[in-house]
Amino acid sequence: MIRRGTVRRYFTIAALSAAALGLAACGSPGEAAAEEAVQIGYFPLVHTATAVNAEENGLFAAEGLEVELVQTQGGAAAIPALISGNVDLTYANYTSALLAVQQGLPVRFISGNDVGAADHGIYVAKDSGITRVEDLAGKTFAVNNLQNIGTVAIYSLLEDAGLDTAAVDLIEMPYPDMQAALERGAVDAIWQVEPFQASAAAAGFVKISNLFTGPVEGMPVAGWITTEKFLQENPEAVEGFRKAIAASAEELQDNRARLAELVPTFTKVSAEVVEQIEMPRFQGQLDGDQLQKTADLMHKYKIIDAALDVRPLLAD
């Protein structure tokens, strides 16, 4: 059964930082017995509506799961929360998760969630003179993390346009700061994901391209991970979770009305904004081939320093 009304909001995970990663060898995720609620970490985004919808619509309960949703900080901060045992499963971007594996952490991939689509865009000022990816040569481009999927995607687009990856100077900054930086000319272009993309468009900035197009069209952006220990000790819970997320993703795909109803209940994004955003492309099934492509590109662009075979990392 689902434990209703137990959504906790954690905003202190970043304090674990790199020190938490050192717990990998002796960490205790998965210690919860099967009869206890499964702790599911999620960052409050439009994209993580899959987990909240699965709880509210009884999809977890249908799989015999009692769950507790735990809000975490996003990006790489989700990994320490998992490794330290604060959560049993968590939503995380794939590049951070693959980087953690390359660093020796026992991360395992259990379910997809969302893939790159029109909800990720490259934005510039209206009078910038930049109208296509080729025009980014010699410019600065803001990504939320230099070791993230945005770096992989923009490098791939640059090469597809016949440019060297060094043609653009990447600047790291949080999504909420990017529009102001673009406005004052601190950067020439920014990567915006919903709901920031809708805000950028409303502010008069111009979208010159989707970020995930051409050679990286449909690239998986983020999904659900756990530890090797939890996967081994709780295979039925993991399988039930996968089925529930897949069902939730199917319910939410192209269902703007449901997202407009649901997203304001767990984020600061209003229903009015949800009505304007580019819809995410939800995909509950984990595509191993596409994940391998991500790992290969991470190696190519030196985000990881050795080739990585993702097959042993996937839940059966």
Side-chain angles (χ1 to χ4, degrees), residues 11 24 26 31 45 56 86 128 160 192 198 224 227 234 271 280 302 313-314:
F11 291 99
C26 57
E31 292 297 324
L45 294 168
E56 289 199 1
N86 280 8
S128 68
D160 191 54
Q192 296 284 260
W224 300 90
T227 60
N234 302 276
K302 298 181 172 53
L313 309 175
L314 306 180

Short mmCIF file of all heavy atoms in Angstrom, two decimals, residues 11 24 26 31 45 56 86 128 160 192 198 224 227 234 271 280 302 313-314:
data_model
loop_
_atom_site.label_atom_id
_atom_site.label_comp_id
_atom_site.label_asym_id
_atom_site.label_seq_id
_atom_site.Cartn_x
_atom_site.Cartn_y
_atom_site.Cartn_z
N PHE A 11 16.05 19.62 1.36
CA PHE A 11 16.83 20.59 0.60
C PHE A 11 18.24 20.70 1.17
O PHE A 11 18.91 21.71 0.99
CB PHE A 11 16.14 21.96 0.61
CG PHE A 11 14.87 21.97 -0.18
CD1 PHE A 11 13.65 21.83 0.45
CD2 PHE A 11 14.90 22.07 -1.55
CE1 PHE A 11 12.48 21.81 -0.28
CE2 PHE A 11 13.73 22.05 -2.29
CZ PHE A 11 12.52 21.93 -1.64
N ALA A 24 30.61 4.93 -0.29
CA ALA A 24 30.18 3.87 -1.21
C ALA A 24 30.59 2.49 -0.74
O ALA A 24 29.84 1.53 -0.86
CB ALA A 24 30.76 4.13 -2.60
N CYS A 26 31.00 1.35 2.20
CA CYS A 26 30.38 0.84 3.41
C CYS A 26 28.97 1.35 3.58
O CYS A 26 28.39 1.24 4.65
CB CYS A 26 31.21 1.21 4.64
SG CYS A 26 31.48 2.99 4.82
N GLU A 31 18.90 -1.16 3.25
CA GLU A 31 18.76 -1.83 4.52
C GLU A 31 17.28 -1.99 4.90
O GLU A 31 16.92 -2.81 5.70
CB GLU A 31 19.48 -1.03 5.62
CG GLU A 31 21.00 -1.03 5.47
CD GLU A 31 21.61 -2.39 5.59
OE1 GLU A 31 21.10 -3.21 6.40
OE2 GLU A 31 22.58 -2.67 4.87
N LEU A 45 10.36 18.65 -10.50
CA LEU A 45 10.34 19.12 -11.88
C LEU A 45 9.07 18.65 -12.57
O LEU A 45 8.41 17.70 -12.09
CB LEU A 45 11.53 18.52 -12.66
CG LEU A 45 12.95 18.92 -12.29
CD1 LEU A 45 13.92 17.98 -13.00
CD2 LEU A 45 13.21 20.36 -12.68
N GLU A 56 -0.29 9.15 -6.62
CA GLU A 56 -1.66 9.64 -6.49
C GLU A 56 -2.68 8.75 -7.20
O GLU A 56 -3.81 8.61 -6.73
CB GLU A 56 -1.76 11.07 -7.02
CG GLU A 56 -1.06 12.10 -6.14
CD GLU A 56 -1.54 13.51 -6.42
OE1 GLU A 56 -2.42 13.69 -7.29
OE2 GLU A 56 -1.03 14.42 -5.75
N ASN A 86 19.86 7.80 2.23
CA ASN A 86 18.70 8.66 2.49
C ASN A 86 17.49 8.23 1.66
O ASN A 86 16.36 8.48 2.05
CB ASN A 86 19.04 10.12 2.18
CG ASN A 86 19.81 10.79 3.29
OD1 ASN A 86 20.23 10.14 4.24
ND2 ASN A 86 20.01 12.08 3.17
N SER A 128 21.04 39.16 -31.27
CA SER A 128 22.38 38.59 -31.16
C SER A 128 23.03 38.31 -32.51
O SER A 128 24.26 38.19 -32.60
CB SER A 128 22.34 37.29 -30.36
OG SER A 128 21.65 36.28 -31.09
N ASP A 160 28.46 18.10 -35.50
CA ASP A 160 27.55 17.85 -36.62
C ASP A 160 27.50 19.06 -37.55
O ASP A 160 27.27 18.91 -38.75
CB ASP A 160 26.15 17.55 -36.07
CG ASP A 160 25.21 17.03 -37.15
OD1 ASP A 160 25.57 16.04 -37.82
OD2 ASP A 160 24.13 17.62 -37.32
N GLN A 192 18.04 26.00 -22.02
CA GLN A 192 16.87 26.10 -21.17
C GLN A 192 16.01 24.85 -21.28
O GLN A 192 15.72 24.38 -22.37
CB GLN A 192 16.04 27.33 -21.54
CG GLN A 192 16.75 28.65 -21.32
CD GLN A 192 16.82 29.07 -19.86
OE1 GLN A 192 16.05 29.89 -19.40
NE2 GLN A 192 17.80 28.53 -19.14
N ALA A 198 9.89 28.13 -21.21
CA ALA A 198 8.69 28.94 -21.40
C ALA A 198 8.93 30.37 -20.91
O ALA A 198 8.48 31.34 -21.54
CB ALA A 198 7.51 28.32 -20.65
N TRP A 224 15.66 6.60 -13.45
CA TRP A 224 15.62 6.15 -12.06
C TRP A 224 16.74 5.14 -11.81
O TRP A 224 16.97 4.23 -12.59
CB TRP A 224 14.26 5.55 -11.75
CG TRP A 224 13.17 6.56 -11.95
CD1 TRP A 224 12.47 6.79 -13.10
CD2 TRP A 224 12.70 7.51 -11.00
NE1 TRP A 224 11.58 7.82 -12.92
CE2 TRP A 224 11.69 8.28 -11.64
CE3 TRP A 224 13.03 7.78 -9.67
CZ2 TRP A 224 11.02 9.31 -10.98
CZ3 TRP A 224 12.35 8.81 -9.01
CH2 TRP A 224 11.36 9.55 -9.67
N THR A 227 20.98 1.38 -5.88
CA THR A 227 22.30 0.80 -5.63
C THR A 227 22.27 -0.69 -5.97
O THR A 227 21.21 -1.32 -5.99
CB THR A 227 22.70 0.96 -4.16
OG1 THR A 227 21.74 0.29 -3.34
CG2 THR A 227 22.78 2.43 -3.77
N ASN A 234 16.10 -6.46 -3.21
CA ASN A 234 14.69 -6.10 -3.39
C ASN A 234 14.27 -6.16 -4.86
O ASN A 234 13.72 -5.19 -5.39
CB ASN A 234 14.44 -4.70 -2.83
CG ASN A 234 14.79 -4.57 -1.37
OD1 ASN A 234 14.00 -4.90 -0.49
ND2 ASN A 234 16.01 -4.08 -1.11
N ALA A 271 0.00 26.33 -12.86
CA ALA A 271 -0.74 25.68 -13.93
C ALA A 271 -0.68 26.50 -15.21
O ALA A 271 -0.64 25.94 -16.32
CB ALA A 271 -2.19 25.48 -13.50
N PRO A 280 7.13 17.48 -22.16
CA PRO A 280 8.23 16.51 -22.10
C PRO A 280 7.89 15.25 -22.90
O PRO A 280 6.71 14.97 -23.15
CB PRO A 280 8.32 16.17 -20.60
CG PRO A 280 7.57 17.25 -19.90
CD PRO A 280 6.52 17.71 -20.85
N LYS A 302 35.65 13.27 -22.95
CA LYS A 302 36.51 13.27 -21.76
C LYS A 302 35.80 13.66 -20.47
O LYS A 302 36.41 14.18 -19.53
CB LYS A 302 37.74 14.18 -21.99
CG LYS A 302 38.63 13.73 -23.14
CD LYS A 302 39.83 14.62 -23.33
CE LYS A 302 40.81 14.06 -24.33
NZ LYS A 302 40.23 13.73 -25.64
N LEU A 313 25.19 -2.73 -15.83
CA LEU A 313 24.61 -1.74 -14.91
C LEU A 313 23.08 -1.70 -14.98
O LEU A 313 22.45 -1.01 -14.18
CB LEU A 313 25.14 -0.35 -15.23
CG LEU A 313 26.66 -0.21 -15.33
CD1 LEU A 313 27.02 1.21 -15.78
CD2 LEU A 313 27.32 -0.55 -14.01
N LEU A 314 22.49 -2.44 -15.93
CA LEU A 314 21.05 -2.37 -16.15
C LEU A 314 20.36 -3.47 -15.36
O LEU A 314 20.78 -4.62 -15.34
CB LEU A 314 20.74 -2.55 -17.63
CG LEU A 314 21.46 -1.60 -18.61
CD1 LEU A 314 21.03 -1.92 -20.04
CD2 LEU A 314 21.19 -0.16 -18.28
#
